[in-house]
Structures are given as C-alpha cells and as structure tokens.
Amino acid sequence: MMKYALATLISLPLLAAPCAGQEGEYRINADGSQGGFVATTAYVSDSVYIGENAQICDKAQITGYAKITGNAIISDYAKVWGNAHVYGDAEVFDTASVWENAKVYGQAQVYGFAGLKGNVEVYGIARMFDATYSSGRYY
C-alpha cells in the first residue's frame, strides 16, 4: 500500500505557480467574483474583468473594459484595453497590444510588436507578430 501511495504522489503533475512564481495576488473583480492572478508589477484597472484562471504577469497593462478569461496569459510589456477580449488558452506577450473590440482566443499567440485593433479576431493556433491588424479573422 505504501509503495502505491508513493508512486501516486510521484506521478502527479506538479502545478505551475502563476506567472512563473512572480509575486502577486488573486484579484477580486468589481462584481465581487473571484478573478485570476495579477503580478505586483502588472497594472489592471478596476473596470477590467479577469477570469479566475487568467494570469496577468510582468509589466503587462490591462485597462478600459477589457476581459481576460479562460486560461489566457498576458505578459511582458503587453497591453490590452478598450473592449478587447482575450480568452481560452491565448497568450499576448512581448510588446504586443490588443484594443478596441479585438478578440484573441483558442491557442492563438500575439507577440512582438503586433497590434490588434477594431473588429479583428485571432483564434485557433494563429500566431500574429510585428504588424498591425485592424479587421478580419485569422486562425
């Protein structure tokens, strides 16, 4: 029995610390709901909604009425604002920006100097970098 218990413990996957172990805290959203992790070095305005599994890391900035939900991660110097929505397993990082009504979801990644604005949607396994996109659907 002891061998079985030890083998089970060893085989359990280790849970990664949010934002790779950065200092921070779990946010309480304006509506009182449990929000995700926000690093102490990141900035999130009171009007933003952060889902309970989302992570805002490094020096990322989230403002306006943006929503970050699902398992989304915003990191480095990335910015999300306006009515933008990042969700699913999507990531926005480096110095990328997502604003106005743009949506990033699925396993999409937006990075480098990329900018998404307007009614653009990036989803699936799309990778957007080093350009500005203002309309269309990319997957």
Side-chain angles (χ1 to χ4, degrees), residues 93-99 110-116 128-133:
F93 57 100
D94 286 338
T95 57
S97 295
V98 178
W99 72 100
V110 179
Y111 57 98
F113 295 104
L116 302 181
M128 307 302 274
F129 59 95
D130 294 344
T132 298
Y133 305 87

Side-chain angles (χ1 to χ4, degrees), residues 27-31 33-38 43-45 47-56 62 66-70 72 74:
R27 172 186 174 88
I28 300 298
N29 291 306
D31 66 1
S33 65
Q34 176 63 55
F37 185 83
V38 178
Y43 176 77
V44 176
S45 65
S47 55
V48 167
Y49 181 86
I50 306 292
E52 65 181 302
N53 294 319
Q55 300 175 44
I56 313 302
I62 318 298
K67 290 173 63 174
I68 314 298
T69 59
I74 315 299

